[in-house]
Amino acid sequence: MEGVEHRIVKVNGINMHVAEKGQGPVILFVHGFPELWYSWRHQISALSSKGYRAVAPDLRGYGGTDAPDSVTCYTCFHIVGDLVELLNTIAPDQQVFVVGHDWGAIIAWYLCLFRPDKVKAVFTLSVPFTPRNPQMKPTDRWRAIYGNDYYICRFQEPGEIEAEFAEMGTETVMKALLTYRVPDPLMLPKGKPFGHSANTPITLPSWLSEEEVNYYVTKFNKSGFTGVINYYRNFDRNWELMAPWGGCEVKVAAKFVVGDVDLVYHMPGMKEYIHNGGFKKDVPMLEEVVVMEGVGHFIHMEKPDEINNLIYDFFHQFD
């Protein structure tokens, strides 16, 4: 990508790879699973051309950033700590704009909850803020609703899904994940994740090229999947750690966008929470919710022009 600068920044005891472009107010782009800084390629190009400094790190465990061995090194505090130290380095004494998708949205909400002093406004995609349920651990809830083949449940046992992914091959895994655009829950039955064999050809959508997929494949072949799946292995640990913040509101100006074919939008109770007042109660400065018709989970890649305009229009009012 032309004009994108890459560097390594030491944060929170690890080396973090950061891509950036442009001058002006900082927009921190926080990617999700199974992605990289590269997932924001369309946004980096567009927003840097409109007078912003686009900063997109590989989160810990991903791409060119270190991947600590211990599962317990991937809690919400570790990830947010990495980003806070990154901001202290690249934008000291400044408030920044934050954009997050998928896991990046979860982390962005945590960042707003822990350090609202760092965030001028937050724009999240796919995953709204969701309050802690004190009655039940997340994995117990998902197992009760979906059963043991649900992807988050299958991710819990260290090494198990990695072995199956290795058997399938990184290219098949990446294509299966990035092209998943049905509203049903993602199920990974043992021995046949995604329902694909390694030899099943996967047709790419118009918004994703073989060349783009190959970038992900190259990086994940090098890093493996353990670090990135460790995020899911900390859902219950995060639930325990977050007890002190139970009932707290996110007090940052926010906007939320989701595709109506996104599997997250169709989780039990999600639409009701988003549209019937729960989301606005927990995020009082939520300015707008946008539901894009016929759009799937990887919304920023599928509809880049629309997303770029929504981000710009939202942040521009705070400049």
Side-chain angles (χ1 to χ4, degrees), residues 7 20 35 67 85 111 122 139 150 157 176 193 209 221 231 233 240 252 262 291 300-301 304:
R7 58 171 164 151
E20 60 177 290
E35 301 180 77
E85 291 209 349
L111 176 61
V122 63
T139 59
Y150 185 54
E157 185 61 37
S209 70
N221 271 337
Y231 283 62
R233 293 173 180 145
E240 293 176 9
V252 173
D262 191 326
V291 180
H300 51 318
M301 291 192 272

Side-chain angles (χ1 to χ4, degrees), residues 184-213:
D184 304 322
L186 176 57
M187 310 301 276
L188 302 178
K190 282 191 181 184
K192 206 174 184 186
F194 311 106
H196 292 288
S197 70
N199 301 318
T200 307
I202 298 173
T203 305
L204 297 180
S206 60
W207 50 266
L208 188 64
S209 70
E210 289 284 349
E211 185 183 4
E212 289 169 324
V213 170

Side-chain angles (χ1 to χ4, degrees), residues 74-148:
Y74 293 83
T75 71
C76 54
F77 290 125
H78 290 86
I79 315 302
V80 173
D82 297 344
L83 295 179
V84 168
E85 291 209 349
L86 174 64
L87 293 177
N88 287 343
T89 301
I90 65 165
D93 305 317
Q94 295 178 39
Q95 282 193 316
V96 303
F97 297 113
V98 178
V99 180
H101 168 255
D102 184 76
W103 258 106
I106 296 173
I107 299 303
W109 292 119
Y110 280 137
L111 176 61
C112 293
L113 199 57
F114 300 155
R115 294 299 304 271
D117 59 303
K118 291 284 184 189
V119 184
K120 195 178 294 185
V122 63
F123 185 107
T124 60
L125 298 156
S126 180
V127 183
F129 176 77
T130 44
R132 180 180 182 274
N133 175 1
Q135 306 304 322
M136 184 181 280
K137 289 184 177 182
T139 59
D140 290 342
R141 179 171 182 266
W142 289 317
R143 194 168 274 112
I145 294 170
Y146 299 119
N148 291 326

